[in-house]
Amino acid sequence: MNKGDLIESVASQLNESKAHATKIVDAVLEGISQGVQRDGKVTITGFGSFERKERAARTGINPATRQPIEIKASRTINFRPSQSLKESLNEATV
Amino acid sequence: MNKGDLIESVASQLNESKAHATKIVDAVLEGISQGVQRDGKVTITGFGSFERKERAARTGINPATRQPIEIKASRTINFRPSQSLKESLNEATV
DNA sequence: ATTCGATCAGATCGCCCTTGTTCATCGACA
DNA sequence: TGTCGATGAACAAGGGCGATCTGATCGAAT
């Protein structure tokens, strides 16, 4: 499923045009993105929580050359689905 | 940041009422959730991708009793931020 | 058409994951 | 807006899984 399908789904749910749904999806994603950037964590009850995680530097391996390399610290986004979402996953397609 | 703040952000971006923004956020999250459940993966260009991951069974420990327990296989959702989102993270709050 | 993401390789280290309770906070409803 | 119910976070400890690195290429998506 890609962005277009998500937009179609949203458009169908809200009974809106795809053009507007595009803006909607973009706004929501933008809001989440800004929230993570500013607050460091976005908790959405019943869905899950996005959290900015600082990844410490460590020693890794370059798969191409198989040489040990030092991976410097970076930051990523960790998403943890809420209990409800996990249950939905386990119920569906079991 | 919680759901209410996200709704406010969306309402501000779209210049909509908070009531409608609530429906909007709910619809987008519902769309993503359904997409993950049905397709197993939701890729949103410029934002990231949600992927349903099967977690294998393994041996864990009950922190309360410190006894080894068998954790049965389950499934969770893995979110990988896109390159653009990572760059936004590194630029902000550095 | 161009850009963006996924893929794959091997290996190391990180950190997630469990249980169960309490508590505070958040959301929803009236 | 106020209240009530629901939901998430925290904590503890340890083991094993999986995430992640490069980077070029291919395919898909916009």
Side-chain angles (χ1 to χ4, degrees):
Chain A
M1 184 199 225
N2 41 27
K3 196 174 182 179
D5 295 327
L6 174 62
I7 290 174
E8 282 189 27
S9 173
V10 172
S12 172
Q13 287 183 65
L14 297 178
N15 211 12
E16 296 264 6
S17 66
K18 284 177 62 178
H20 196 198
T22 302
K23 298 176 187 174
I24 284 176
V25 171
D26 200 33
V28 174
L29 298 180
E30 181 79 9
I32 294 176
S33 178
Q34 286 186 8
V36 173
Q37 289 176 34
R38 285 181 12 194
D39 253 27
K41 186 183 336 190
V42 175
T43 303
I44 304 174
T45 306
F47 184 74
S49 56
F50 298 85
E51 188 171 1
R52 185 186 56 205
K53 298 284 288 185
E54 311 281 343
R55 301 195 60 88
R58 63 178 167 129
T59 304
I61 286 190
N62 187 336
T65 62
R66 298 176 58 179
Q67 284 182 352
I69 59 174
E70 182 180 359
I71 304 174
K72 56 187 171 185
S74 64
R75 55 184 58 171
T76 184
I77 294 185
N78 180 260
F79 172 73
R80 285 175 40 186
S82 76
Q83 191 62 25
S84 315
L85 195 52
K86 281 189 181 178
E87 288 178 2
S88 300
L89 281 181
N90 289 330
E91 288 174 3
T93 320
V94 176
Chain B
M1 186 199 224
N2 37 30
K3 195 175 182 180
D5 295 327
L6 175 62
I7 289 173
E8 281 189 27
S9 172
V10 172
S12 171
Q13 288 183 66
L14 296 179
N15 211 12
E16 295 264 7
S17 66
K18 285 177 60 179
H20 195 197
T22 302
K23 298 176 186 173
I24 284 175
V25 171
D26 199 34
V28 173
L29 297 180
E30 180 79 9
I32 293 176
S33 177
Q34 286 187 7
V36 172
Q37 289 177 33
R38 286 181 12 193
D39 253 28
K41 188 182 336 190
V42 175
T43 303
I44 304 174
T45 306
F47 184 73
S49 55
F50 298 85
E51 186 172 1
R52 185 185 57 204
K53 298 284 287 187
E54 310 281 343
R55 299 194 64 89
R58 65 183 164 122
T59 303
I61 286 189
N62 186 335
T65 61
R66 298 175 60 179
Q67 284 182 352
I69 57 175
E70 182 181 358
I71 304 174
K72 55 187 174 186
S74 64
R75 54 185 58 171
T76 183
I77 293 184
N78 179 259
F79 172 73
R80 283 176 41 186
S82 75
Q83 191 62 25
S84 316
L85 194 51
K86 281 188 182 178
E87 289 178 3
S88 302
L89 281 182
N90 290 332
E91 289 174 3
T93 319
V94 177

